[in-house]
Amino acid sequence: MHDAGYNEAFDALERLVLEIDALASILCDASDTTDHDSVDSHNNFVVTTAEALVRVRKYINSDKHASFPELVARQFDVPCIGVEVFVYTSDKPTTADRVRLRITLPPGYPNLAPAEVAVLTAPKDFPKRLLDDLSLKLTNRTKELIGFEIMMEVINECRDALDDWKSARSLDSHELKDSCTVDKSLPSCLLSRRWIWVHHITNSNRFNQIVQEARQLHLGGYVKGGYPGVVVVEGSCQNCDEFVVWIKGNKSRPGGFGRNWGHHVRGEAVIEARQLPETFEVLEDDMGKLGGLCRQFGVEEEFREFILQHKASKEE
């Protein structure tokens, strides 16, 4: 089977293009008609090697029906593809509060070669030490996930690092004093919903553990398997907190999967009444079905914001 190596390389190119297109649909402003393959785009996701990506697209489309000998002569000219992503530290993004990432996708990505990540810019008060640590952390994360599409995982890791930095900074400010003042006239949190993005859920044992933990805590919601995985739980705030501690991994709660498994709590909602089914359920790898259920139970806006990263405008 002398064509096995070529088939794998061709598969890697197809996966790369599909990943770029998926991220563009999530991160780019639908009102911006500029092609995301162009460096002139004003979106949050830009392909910096536009001409190279065009060549890859033509190569894939024209060679799908070509004979193997014809392909051999052209398979060695696979270019690196570069993209840049802007990750923001606030809900009202400006150029002053964003991190600019450069992700280089070498020949063989994602099947055989890891991506390379560099943090180009960050908010001016973001310490250089943390900037260097973040670059190293993101690069190491790509090496752990060879064989998988990693760009959304890198973006989420960056968001988590920014959230940690903002939380630590606020604790050092006068806001700490204000936060210690409890207004007893306000009701305490009774019910909550948590949205957790997972790089992948494919192992049946992990499915079973997630379901068992959620049901033991009397949480409703869903777990969607595949790439990516999604977990949404709904119930008492205390039990939701306990579930999050467990799934991220904690010495006091053995059995969780930890940060290295790629869990990211992407959103939280304090609610007055349950909206999701009270029995925690398992879905197959079908994001569309999860979206339909969220629409049915009135939580589509949260699903779009926290999982698809589409934040509704005020006009909507």
Side-chain angles (χ1 to χ4, degrees):
M1 296 299 292
H2 62 295
D3 60 344
Y6 167 74
N7 288 336
E8 186 165 17
F10 191 83
D11 176 66
L13 286 176
E14 286 193 304
R15 290 175 62 187
L16 181 151
V17 170
L18 288 173
E19 183 182 14
I20 286 176
D21 289 344
L23 279 177
S25 68
I26 292 172
L27 299 176
C28 293
D29 184 353
S31 64
D32 186 347
T33 58
T34 309
D35 188 346
H36 68 267
D37 287 358
S38 169
V39 294
D40 295 326
S41 171
H42 299 290
N43 286 310
N44 297 323
F45 177 84
V46 179
V47 177
T48 57
T49 55
E51 292 184 2
L53 183 58
V54 168
R55 293 205 313 272
V56 169
R57 291 186 190 277
K58 289 182 178 178
Y59 176 79
I60 291 174
N61 293 332
S62 64
D63 288 348
K64 277 183 177 178
H65 305 292
S67 65
F68 178 75
E70 289 179 289
L71 299 176
V72 171
R74 288 177 285 180
Q75 67 173 309
F76 300 108
D77 189 25
V78 178
C80 280
I81 301 297
V83 303
E84 289 188 6
V85 182
F86 294 111
V87 182
Y88 293 91
T89 63
S90 72
D91 293 333
K92 297 179 179 179
T94 67
T95 56
D97 66 357
R98 68 185 184 184
V99 169
R100 180 181 169 202
L101 299 178
R102 175 180 292 160
I103 305 176
T104 302
L105 310 171
Y109 170 87
N111 299 39
L112 302 173
E116 299 174 5
V117 183
V119 181
L120 301 182
T121 61
K124 62 180 180 180
D125 50 349
F126 194 84
K128 185 179 184 304
R129 173 183 59 81
L130 294 182
L131 195 66
D132 295 338
D133 289 347
L134 180 58
S135 292
L136 180 60
K137 177 181 179 180
L138 297 179
T139 295
N140 288 339
R141 189 74 179 118
T142 68
K143 294 177 182 178
E144 294 170 2
L145 294 172
I146 291 181
F148 299 109
E149 290 82 350
I150 55 84
M151 285 193 280
M152 183 56 80
E153 174 73 7
V154 165
I155 292 168
N156 283 330
E157 286 280 359
C158 184
R159 286 195 180 111
D160 283 352
L162 292 174
D163 288 344
D164 291 344
W165 167 65
K166 288 173 65 179
S167 297
R169 187 176 59 169
S170 67
L171 288 175
D172 292 336
S173 71
H174 63 84
E175 294 175 4
L176 177 61
K177 183 177 180 180
D178 294 338
S179 67
C180 293
T181 303
V182 178
D183 187 346
K184 296 183 179 180
S185 66
L186 297 176
S188 60
C189 170
L190 296 178
L191 294 174
S192 178
R193 190 160 42 245
R194 309 294 170 86
W195 298 86
I196 302 169
W197 185 96
V198 190
H199 182 269
H200 64 280
I201 308 176
T202 56
N203 185 286
S204 59
N205 289 332
R206 285 173 175 165
F207 266 115
N208 294 335
Q209 287 175 295
I210 290 172
V211 172
Q212 181 181 1
E213 185 71 16
R215 291 179 177 175
Q216 284 180 347
L217 292 170
H218 307 290
L219 298 174
Y222 299 101
V223 53
K224 184 203 81 70
Y227 301 83
V230 176
V231 181
V232 53
V233 292
E234 180 184 84
S236 74
C237 288
Q238 180 178 349
N239 287 355
C240 284
D241 288 341
E242 190 169 346
F243 182 85
V244 168
V245 168
W246 170 80
I247 204 167
K248 281 194 167 185
N250 187 291
K251 290 181 180 178
S252 65
R253 290 300 319 280
F257 306 116
R259 286 291 292 272
N260 286 337
W261 198 48
H263 296 84
H264 304 272
V265 180
R266 292 263 52 95
E268 173 183 355
V270 177
I271 56 179
E272 296 181 356
R274 286 196 179 212
Q275 291 172 260
L276 298 178
E278 293 193 11
T279 300
F280 191 81
E281 300 178 8
V282 176
L283 301 179
E284 299 301 324
D285 184 6
D286 190 340
M287 191 71 83
K289 183 176 181 180
L290 177 59
L293 290 168
C294 290
R295 187 180 308 112
Q296 176 184 341
F297 293 110
V299 296
E300 182 183 17
E301 186 174 328
E302 292 177 21
F303 169 73
R304 287 175 58 80
E305 177 179 351
F306 299 136
I307 300 302
L308 300 184
Q309 303 292 308
H310 287 179
K311 188 152 187 176
S313 64
K314 292 182 179 178
E315 292 75 10
E316 295 177 333

